Amino acid sequence: MDLHALNIFKSVAEKGSISQAARDLNYAQSNITTKIQQLENDLQTTLFYRNNRGTTLTSKGKVLLTYAENIFNLIEETVKVMQDNQIPQGPLSIGSMETTAAVRLPSLLSKYHHEYPNVDLNLKTGPTQQNIQGVLHHELDGAFVAGPIDHPELTQKTVIEEDLVLITDTVHPPLSSIKDIQTRTLLVFRSGCTYRAKLEQWLHDEGITPNKIMEFGTLEAILGCVSAGLGISMLPYSVIEMHLQAGTIKHHSIPNPYGKVETIFIYRKDTFIPTSLIKFMDMFCEERNAFEHSISIQ
């Protein structure tokens, strides 16, 4: 099979348009069309439905796209294997929840960058579900997410167990039950965030419908709006500890099973693990062990 034609097919499938694929690949549209037609002739099947709005994959086209993604992922992995000489180097993409990136990762990333300067470390923040999909689709080498995760293609390592708390402005009265907040606005990360899911599940189990939900893209925005009295949120205690000490917000305990969540690190089972990722995982395990030891002797 012509890998060049397969790559063109993959681009058209992902863009949903021959013209867009031609712009991205810097080819003439006629060349794109010819390559797709040749591929369809070779495979003796129709890969796209053509319409005025672009292209749509046929059932056979969807099957081929899955194989094409696997083929190019395998080629990329082969290059990594051949280039890996047990010295951490090259690109390393790590995903993380916004909260973990803000509290747990700064010292780890600084230490890793100092020890392995030849690694092009890239951190991408997002909710748990987004990070899981990033790892599954080979967009991320690994990710810090809320666990546990039960997926046959993923390996997980526990990083830490977090205590979740409700947070309000400082003048909010003590909470005797979850019903005390049913008229308040929920300030949450976008869908896919485990903390949001736990809060919504708790409300659902208590038969409470949120008065209003506001989505935010950053931790700072949520904390600022909670402090200003706009609404309430649910976050790990470690994330808001400094803000409590500063007296800008107030926290309220949460009953189990809603008040606990694990932070785990996930990566694919079926791909080559580069030395850069091995060293990264070794380093965060050392950081975790040092943190647990400091807690145990206090």
Side-chain angles (χ1 to χ4, degrees):
M1 182 181 292
D2 184 351
L3 287 178
H4 180 55
L6 191 61
N7 187 50
I8 288 175
F9 157 79
K10 182 171 174 288
S11 181
V12 175
E14 291 172 346
K15 301 300 180 182
S17 165
I18 289 176
S19 61
Q20 183 61 53
R23 285 193 293 270
D24 288 356
L25 297 174
N26 198 27
Y27 292 152
Q29 289 191 41
S30 58
N31 291 341
I32 299 289
T33 301
T34 298
K35 282 293 186 180
I36 294 297
Q37 290 174 342
Q38 290 175 350
L39 189 59
E40 289 179 325
N41 290 335
D42 290 343
L43 298 175
Q44 298 183 358
T45 190
T46 300
L47 299 173
F48 293 103
Y49 298 117
R50 279 76 167 177
N51 52 63
N52 294 333
R53 292 174 295 179
T55 58
T56 305
L57 286 169
T58 64
S59 58
K60 290 291 187 180
K62 292 177 181 177
V63 172
L64 181 60
L65 179 59
T66 298
Y67 279 98
E69 290 172 340
N70 290 337
I71 288 169
F72 287 111
N73 286 332
L74 187 57
I75 291 173
E76 183 178 348
E77 183 179 340
T78 302
V79 173
K80 289 181 179 179
V81 173
M82 294 298 101
Q83 294 180 344
D84 191 271
N85 58 4
Q86 305 306 304
I87 299 175
Q89 59 185 337
L92 181 64
S93 293
I94 301 297
S96 175
M97 298 176 290
E98 179 86 16
T99 51
T100 302
V103 177
R104 303 291 181 189
L105 297 188
S107 62
L108 172 63
L109 297 179
S110 177
K111 181 180 179 182
Y112 185 87
H113 179 68
H114 177 74
E115 293 193 17
Y116 306 111
N118 292 328
V119 176
D120 181 16
L121 181 60
N122 182 26
L123 179 68
K124 300 179 180 179
T125 60
T128 286
Q129 289 303 316
Q130 177 181 312
N131 286 321
I132 291 173
Q133 292 305 309
V135 174
L136 289 174
H137 293 138
H138 301 272
E139 297 164 358
L140 299 171
D141 295 298
F144 294 94
V145 300
I149 301 298
D150 183 17
H151 195 288
E153 297 178 30
L154 297 176
T155 295
Q156 63 181 28
K157 292 180 177 291
T158 300
V159 178
I160 194 169
E161 184 178 66
E162 301 274 15
D163 291 314
L164 293 175
V165 293
L166 287 175
I167 58 172
T168 66
D169 57 88
T170 56
V171 298
H172 197 286
L175 300 177
S176 59
S177 77
I178 188 65
K179 293 181 173 60
D180 291 345
I181 66 167
Q182 59 186 330
T183 60
R184 300 298 306 275
T185 299
L186 304 187
L187 310 183
V188 296
F189 290 112
R190 58 187 181 274
S191 294
C193 170
T194 299
Y195 311 142
R196 172 180 178 170
K198 276 186 170 286
L199 178 54
E200 291 179 335
Q201 184 62 52
W202 184 16
L203 291 170
H204 177 269
D205 292 346
E206 295 291 337
I208 298 173
T209 301
N211 182 50
K212 185 177 181 181
I213 296 177
M214 295 182 66
E215 293 186 356
F216 293 83
T218 66
L219 174 62
E220 291 77 10
I222 290 179
L223 291 172
C225 289
V226 169
S227 177
L230 182 60
I232 63 103
S233 189
M234 178 191 280
L235 291 170
Y237 181 84
S238 61
V239 172
I240 55 95
E241 189 171 5
M242 291 182 61
H243 299 271
L244 292 175
Q245 294 173 358
T248 58
I249 58 175
K250 185 176 183 179
H251 82 286
H252 309 264
S253 299
I254 295 174
N256 288 328
Y258 312 104
K260 297 286 185 180
V261 65
E262 279 187 328
T263 298
I264 63 174
F265 186 79
I266 59 171
Y267 57 97
R268 290 188 63 97
K269 291 180 179 178
D270 59 352
T271 58
F272 169 73
I273 304 177
T275 303
S276 57
L277 181 56
I278 292 174
K279 294 298 184 182
F280 184 83
M281 291 190 291
D282 288 346
M283 189 172 287
F284 81 65
C285 285
E286 291 171 3
E287 293 265 316
R288 178 193 62 194
N289 294 338
F291 174 76
E292 291 176 348
H293 178 68
S294 67
I295 294 297
S296 66
I297 62 177
Q298 287 180 2

